[in-house]
Amino acid sequence: MRAAPTILHLDMDAFYASVEQASKPSLRGKAVIVGGLGPRGVVATASYEARRFGVHSAMPMGQARRLCPNGAYLIPRFSLYRQVSDVVMALLRELSPLVEPLSLDEAFVDLEAGGVAFDSRGARETGERLRADIRAATGLSGSVGLAGSKMLAKVASEEAKPAGLLLIEPGTERELLAPMSVRTLPGVGPATGEHLRRAGITTVGELAEAGEDELVRMVGRSAGAGLYRMALGLDDRPVVAERDAKSVSVEDTFDVDLHDRVRIRGEVQRLADRCVRRLRDSGHSGRTIVLKVRRYDFSTLTRSETLRGPTDDPAVVREAAARLLEGVDTTGGVRLLGVGVSGLADYTQEDLFAQSLAAEPDGADGSDRTDGTDRTGGAGGTGGVDAADRTGRVDGAGGGAVTSGAAEAEAEGAHGAAEPSAEPEPAPERRWAAGSDVRHAVYGPGWVQGSGVGRVTVRFEQPGSEPGRVRTFRVDDPELEPSDPLPLVGDGTGSGP
């Protein structure tokens, strides 16, 4: 425990929803819920306006709609969230070399290690300056906690929400913690909280009064000793700048169970490609390929295959994932698929051909998650296709087969032109998810408010503008195209309506 509150914890306020409100001027001050919009979607983040209706993270989206029927329901835009997070993390690293990110919107900072604060006054000034810098760089607010330990700094930032700063002076920890709920302490979830409540312990002060021996008897030696130390405000964990990733994975939850084996294989191939992109972005390769399948009855299977050396080659990962899928019975239907890579390294195996031939299967059942999971699918259904397979094109609806333009041309040259179909299939209807970015050739940048019955409604506005006008178009309007997000702060691109 430090004698000065020089450990800082930053937690951005309702991060995803706040980014959406900053990006979409017409939503400022209104209830915004970000998450999956399908029947199996869950809430990723709710704005403070939506929380007043009882909406919270991890709630089923159907329940959220019943509680807050007039809220704005939007898909997540993780690419934009990562861009904003990079700006915030860069500001933290200007303060200290010891920055420990916990997620896109949360991190610990050791202010002493950066030489920017050694006492309460310096810590408070640094925290206030950080909040102002974040506001100027992103237009968003963050809450700051300052204390002599990581646990207390996190408690302080939670108490400071929204858009506040709380400094816990060393020596006042027990007095501050005593009236708080036991659920305030890290690691005390619903089950442990209920177990303690039945024993008559509901506050941190009561936890401390119970004593270590009683807590060990109630919840076990390791957990009991840890609870007692936290109740006393004791935590000597250091801020760790680099946290080694154990695995990289992606997964998608589908609105409707998949039964078509060809479709399932296609989804696994796309997940493998997405996983490799994340693997390369992190600067890693891996030697164990993991397939996750959650079936119609919620039973979850994992299969893994260990290669002779690490790889970041998409073809190798696709082949391994396809082999693993062959050993899984999917006849009853599949609600979730995931592909992951573990056994990470920062180099790749040169003999990729040998890798794919000499795999060592080590499949196992039962695991239900892998570290570093990208849950964009869980939030937004299949989410369509986010990149074309390197061998050809992918059906933009998210479920079509991969085709090779070169192979089609070669077949046509060998066998003559294909007979024209008497009734050619119509092009698939373009899908516009609520909240996604678009650009119109005449009206400029905007975002999708909703779509249906062959029409899409777009509000034309951008960060920093006044609330924009709404216009409706055919879903196949050639002048309307998907677009990249505009920056929250800065000039942006294009003109408004």
mmCIF file of all heavy atoms in Angstrom, residues 118-146:
data_model
loop_
_atom_site.group_PDB
_atom_site.id
_atom_site.type_symbol
_atom_site.label_atom_id
_atom_site.label_comp_id
_atom_site.label_asym_id
_atom_site.label_seq_id
_atom_site.Cartn_x
_atom_site.Cartn_y
_atom_site.Cartn_z
ATOM 1 N N PHE A 118 3.490 12.724 -6.822
ATOM 2 C CA PHE A 118 4.070 12.010 -5.681
ATOM 3 C C PHE A 118 3.271 12.239 -4.403
ATOM 4 O O PHE A 118 3.578 11.664 -3.366
ATOM 5 C CB PHE A 118 5.519 12.455 -5.463
ATOM 6 C CG PHE A 118 6.410 12.172 -6.642
ATOM 7 C CD1 PHE A 118 6.674 13.160 -7.573
ATOM 8 C CD2 PHE A 118 6.949 10.910 -6.835
ATOM 9 C CE1 PHE A 118 7.490 12.903 -8.670
ATOM 10 C CE2 PHE A 118 7.769 10.635 -7.922
ATOM 11 C CZ PHE A 118 8.030 11.638 -8.849
ATOM 12 N N ASP A 119 2.236 13.093 -4.478
ATOM 13 C CA ASP A 119 1.407 13.360 -3.312
ATOM 14 C C ASP A 119 -0.023 13.598 -3.762
ATOM 15 O O ASP A 119 -0.349 13.546 -4.958
ATOM 16 C CB ASP A 119 1.935 14.560 -2.530
ATOM 17 C CG ASP A 119 2.070 15.819 -3.378
ATOM 18 O OD1 ASP A 119 1.436 15.891 -4.460
ATOM 19 O OD2 ASP A 119 2.808 16.746 -2.976
ATOM 20 N N SER A 120 -0.895 13.859 -2.814
ATOM 21 C CA SER A 120 -2.317 14.004 -3.108
ATOM 22 C C SER A 120 -2.583 15.178 -4.042
ATOM 23 O O SER A 120 -3.392 15.074 -4.979
ATOM 24 C CB SER A 120 -3.112 14.173 -1.806
ATOM 25 O OG SER A 120 -3.005 13.030 -1.004
ATOM 26 N N ARG A 121 -1.912 16.289 -3.787
ATOM 27 C CA ARG A 121 -2.153 17.472 -4.614
ATOM 28 C C ARG A 121 -1.755 17.220 -6.064
ATOM 29 O O ARG A 121 -2.508 17.514 -6.989
ATOM 30 C CB ARG A 121 -1.384 18.657 -4.054
ATOM 31 C CG ARG A 121 -1.549 19.926 -4.870
ATOM 32 C CD ARG A 121 -0.774 21.081 -4.257
ATOM 33 N NE ARG A 121 -0.859 22.269 -5.090
ATOM 34 C CZ ARG A 121 -0.253 23.412 -4.798
ATOM 35 N NH1 ARG A 121 0.487 23.516 -3.700
ATOM 36 N NH2 ARG A 121 -0.380 24.447 -5.613
ATOM 37 N N GLY A 122 -0.580 16.649 -6.261
ATOM 38 C CA GLY A 122 -0.127 16.370 -7.623
ATOM 39 C C GLY A 122 -1.003 15.351 -8.323
ATOM 40 O O GLY A 122 -1.272 15.462 -9.520
ATOM 41 N N ALA A 123 -1.477 14.339 -7.562
ATOM 42 C CA ALA A 123 -2.341 13.317 -8.155
ATOM 43 C C ALA A 123 -3.666 13.926 -8.605
ATOM 44 O O ALA A 123 -4.161 13.639 -9.702
ATOM 45 C CB ALA A 123 -2.580 12.190 -7.159
ATOM 46 N N ARG A 124 -4.249 14.783 -7.758
ATOM 47 C CA ARG A 124 -5.521 15.404 -8.114
ATOM 48 C C ARG A 124 -5.362 16.297 -9.346
ATOM 49 O O ARG A 124 -6.197 16.263 -10.258
ATOM 50 C CB ARG A 124 -6.075 16.194 -6.949
ATOM 51 C CG ARG A 124 -7.455 16.788 -7.218
ATOM 52 C CD ARG A 124 -7.957 17.576 -6.023
ATOM 53 N NE ARG A 124 -8.177 16.731 -4.870
ATOM 54 C CZ ARG A 124 -9.274 16.027 -4.658
ATOM 55 N NH1 ARG A 124 -10.264 16.061 -5.558
ATOM 56 N NH2 ARG A 124 -9.409 15.284 -3.579
ATOM 57 N N GLU A 125 -4.316 17.091 -9.377
ATOM 58 C CA GLU A 125 -4.091 17.971 -10.530
ATOM 59 C C GLU A 125 -3.895 17.164 -11.807
ATOM 60 O O GLU A 125 -4.420 17.527 -12.872
ATOM 61 C CB GLU A 125 -2.868 18.865 -10.276
ATOM 62 C CG GLU A 125 -3.092 19.918 -9.196
ATOM 63 C CD GLU A 125 -1.823 20.702 -8.889
ATOM 64 O OE1 GLU A 125 -0.740 20.305 -9.390
ATOM 65 O OE2 GLU A 125 -1.910 21.702 -8.144
ATOM 66 N N THR A 126 -3.170 16.066 -11.696
ATOM 67 C CA THR A 126 -2.956 15.214 -12.875
ATOM 68 C C THR A 126 -4.262 14.599 -13.346
ATOM 69 O O THR A 126 -4.544 14.528 -14.552
ATOM 70 C CB THR A 126 -1.931 14.108 -12.545
ATOM 71 O OG1 THR A 126 -0.694 14.704 -12.161
ATOM 72 C CG2 THR A 126 -1.704 13.208 -13.762
ATOM 73 N N GLY A 127 -5.084 14.136 -12.398
ATOM 74 C CA GLY A 127 -6.364 13.547 -12.765
ATOM 75 C C GLY A 127 -7.287 14.536 -13.440
ATOM 76 O O GLY A 127 -7.949 14.210 -14.445
ATOM 77 N N GLU A 128 -7.343 15.770 -12.922
ATOM 78 C CA GLU A 128 -8.204 16.793 -13.531
ATOM 79 C C GLU A 128 -7.699 17.165 -14.920
ATOM 80 O O GLU A 128 -8.488 17.355 -15.854
ATOM 81 C CB GLU A 128 -8.258 18.032 -12.638
ATOM 82 C CG GLU A 128 -8.947 17.808 -11.295
ATOM 83 C CD GLU A 128 -10.454 17.614 -11.421
ATOM 84 O OE1 GLU A 128 -10.967 17.530 -12.554
ATOM 85 O OE2 GLU A 128 -11.121 17.545 -10.365
ATOM 86 N N ARG A 129 -6.395 17.253 -15.063
ATOM 87 C CA ARG A 129 -5.829 17.579 -16.371
ATOM 88 C C ARG A 129 -6.112 16.469 -17.385
ATOM 89 O O ARG A 129 -6.421 16.735 -18.555
ATOM 90 C CB ARG A 129 -4.323 17.804 -16.240
ATOM 91 C CG ARG A 129 -3.659 18.314 -17.525
ATOM 92 C CD ARG A 129 -2.237 18.778 -17.279
ATOM 93 N NE ARG A 129 -1.369 17.712 -16.799
ATOM 94 C CZ ARG A 129 -0.891 17.621 -15.561
ATOM 95 N NH1 ARG A 129 -1.233 18.525 -14.650
ATOM 96 N NH2 ARG A 129 -0.111 16.618 -15.220
ATOM 97 N N LEU A 130 -6.018 15.225 -16.926
ATOM 98 C CA LEU A 130 -6.314 14.094 -17.817
ATOM 99 C C LEU A 130 -7.755 14.153 -18.298
ATOM 100 O O LEU A 130 -8.028 13.970 -19.497
ATOM 101 C CB LEU A 130 -6.053 12.778 -17.090
ATOM 102 C CG LEU A 130 -6.490 11.512 -17.834
ATOM 103 C CD1 LEU A 130 -5.693 11.339 -19.121
ATOM 104 C CD2 LEU A 130 -6.352 10.279 -16.938
ATOM 105 N N ARG A 131 -8.689 14.402 -17.402
ATOM 106 C CA ARG A 131 -10.094 14.471 -17.795
ATOM 107 C C ARG A 131 -10.325 15.570 -18.825
ATOM 108 O O ARG A 131 -11.076 15.397 -19.794
ATOM 109 C CB ARG A 131 -10.982 14.687 -16.572
ATOM 110 C CG ARG A 131 -11.014 13.491 -15.629
ATOM 111 C CD ARG A 131 -11.861 13.746 -14.390
ATOM 112 N NE ARG A 131 -13.217 14.070 -14.757
ATOM 113 C CZ ARG A 131 -13.839 15.210 -14.457
ATOM 114 N NH1 ARG A 131 -13.199 16.163 -13.784
ATOM 115 N NH2 ARG A 131 -15.091 15.413 -14.822
ATOM 116 N N ALA A 132 -9.675 16.709 -18.632
ATOM 117 C CA ALA A 132 -9.820 17.813 -19.590
ATOM 118 C C ALA A 132 -9.205 17.451 -20.935
ATOM 119 O O ALA A 132 -9.769 17.771 -21.998
ATOM 120 C CB ALA A 132 -9.168 19.071 -19.024
ATOM 121 N N ASP A 133 -8.056 16.776 -20.919
ATOM 122 C CA ASP A 133 -7.398 16.384 -22.177
ATOM 123 C C ASP A 133 -8.250 15.370 -22.945
ATOM 124 O O ASP A 133 -8.341 15.432 -24.182
ATOM 125 C CB ASP A 133 -6.021 15.791 -21.887
ATOM 126 C CG ASP A 133 -5.014 16.837 -21.410
ATOM 127 O OD1 ASP A 133 -5.299 18.038 -21.571
ATOM 128 O OD2 ASP A 133 -3.963 16.438 -20.874
ATOM 129 N N ILE A 134 -8.866 14.436 -22.232
ATOM 130 C CA ILE A 134 -9.734 13.448 -22.887
ATOM 131 C C ILE A 134 -10.934 14.150 -23.512
ATOM 132 O O ILE A 134 -11.329 13.843 -24.642
ATOM 133 C CB ILE A 134 -10.176 12.371 -21.880
ATOM 134 C CG1 ILE A 134 -8.995 11.484 -21.500
ATOM 135 C CG2 ILE A 134 -11.313 11.522 -22.465
ATOM 136 C CD1 ILE A 134 -9.298 10.502 -20.383
ATOM 137 N N ARG A 135 -11.522 15.098 -22.796
ATOM 138 C CA ARG A 135 -12.662 15.848 -23.329
ATOM 139 C C ARG A 135 -12.272 16.599 -24.594
ATOM 140 O O ARG A 135 -13.004 16.613 -25.578
ATOM 141 C CB ARG A 135 -13.181 16.810 -22.266
ATOM 142 C CG ARG A 135 -14.252 17.766 -22.737
ATOM 143 C CD ARG A 135 -15.588 17.082 -22.933
ATOM 144 N NE ARG A 135 -16.196 16.754 -21.664
ATOM 145 C CZ ARG A 135 -17.421 16.213 -21.561
ATOM 146 N NH1 ARG A 135 -18.123 15.933 -22.649
ATOM 147 N NH2 ARG A 135 -17.929 15.927 -20.380
ATOM 148 N N ALA A 136 -11.092 17.232 -24.587
ATOM 149 C CA ALA A 136 -10.654 18.004 -25.746
ATOM 150 C C ALA A 136 -10.340 17.106 -26.946
ATOM 151 O O ALA A 136 -10.611 17.466 -28.090
ATOM 152 C CB ALA A 136 -9.422 18.836 -25.381
ATOM 153 N N ALA A 137 -9.776 15.929 -26.683
ATOM 154 C CA ALA A 137 -9.343 15.054 -27.773
ATOM 155 C C ALA A 137 -10.460 14.207 -28.351
ATOM 156 O O ALA A 137 -10.419 13.839 -29.531
ATOM 157 C CB ALA A 137 -8.216 14.145 -27.290
ATOM 158 N N THR A 138 -11.471 13.886 -27.524
ATOM 159 C CA THR A 138 -12.515 12.959 -27.986
ATOM 160 C C THR A 138 -13.928 13.516 -27.849
ATOM 161 O O THR A 138 -14.856 12.960 -28.442
ATOM 162 C CB THR A 138 -12.458 11.640 -27.194
ATOM 163 O OG1 THR A 138 -12.825 11.898 -25.826
ATOM 164 C CG2 THR A 138 -11.062 11.040 -27.242
ATOM 165 N N GLY A 139 -14.098 14.555 -27.042
ATOM 166 C CA GLY A 139 -15.442 15.041 -26.767
ATOM 167 C C GLY A 139 -16.184 14.203 -25.746
ATOM 168 O O GLY A 139 -17.365 14.446 -25.492
ATOM 169 N N LEU A 140 -15.520 13.230 -25.124
ATOM 170 C CA LEU A 140 -16.163 12.314 -24.187
ATOM 171 C C LEU A 140 -15.705 12.591 -22.764
ATOM 172 O O LEU A 140 -14.684 13.239 -22.532
ATOM 173 C CB LEU A 140 -15.833 10.869 -24.555
ATOM 174 C CG LEU A 140 -16.157 10.432 -25.982
ATOM 175 C CD1 LEU A 140 -15.729 8.989 -26.199
ATOM 176 C CD2 LEU A 140 -17.639 10.610 -26.287
ATOM 177 N N SER A 141 -16.445 12.044 -21.810
ATOM 178 C CA SER A 141 -16.088 12.198 -20.405
ATOM 179 C C SER A 141 -15.615 10.874 -19.838
ATOM 180 O O SER A 141 -16.052 9.799 -20.250
ATOM 181 C CB SER A 141 -17.288 12.708 -19.597
ATOM 182 O OG SER A 141 -18.312 11.732 -19.550
ATOM 183 N N GLY A 142 -14.711 10.963 -18.869
ATOM 184 C CA GLY A 142 -14.236 9.796 -18.156
ATOM 185 C C GLY A 142 -14.223 10.073 -16.677
ATOM 186 O O GLY A 142 -14.092 11.224 -16.244
ATOM 187 N N SER A 143 -14.367 9.021 -15.874
ATOM 188 C CA SER A 143 -14.329 9.158 -14.424
ATOM 189 C C SER A 143 -12.991 8.646 -13.920
ATOM 190 O O SER A 143 -12.483 7.618 -14.387
ATOM 191 C CB SER A 143 -15.469 8.374 -13.780
ATOM 192 O OG SER A 143 -16.717 8.925 -14.164
ATOM 193 N N VAL A 144 -12.415 9.350 -12.949
ATOM 194 C CA VAL A 144 -11.071 9.062 -12.455
ATOM 195 C C VAL A 144 -11.125 8.754 -10.971
ATOM 196 O O VAL A 144 -11.756 9.482 -10.187
ATOM 197 C CB VAL A 144 -10.128 10.256 -12.716
ATOM 198 C CG1 VAL A 144 -8.806 10.079 -11.967
ATOM 199 C CG2 VAL A 144 -9.871 10.411 -14.210
ATOM 200 N N GLY A 145 -10.458 7.663 -10.583
ATOM 201 C CA GLY A 145 -10.269 7.328 -9.182
ATOM 202 C C GLY A 145 -8.793 7.357 -8.855
ATOM 203 O O GLY A 145 -7.966 6.905 -9.651
ATOM 204 N N LEU A 146 -8.431 7.894 -7.701
ATOM 205 C CA LEU A 146 -7.039 7.997 -7.267
ATOM 206 C C LEU A 146 -6.925 7.431 -5.855
ATOM 207 O O LEU A 146 -7.712 7.784 -4.966
ATOM 208 C CB LEU A 146 -6.581 9.452 -7.265
ATOM 209 C CG LEU A 146 -6.480 10.116 -8.645
ATOM 210 C CD1 LEU A 146 -6.600 11.620 -8.537
ATOM 211 C CD2 LEU A 146 -5.176 9.721 -9.327
#
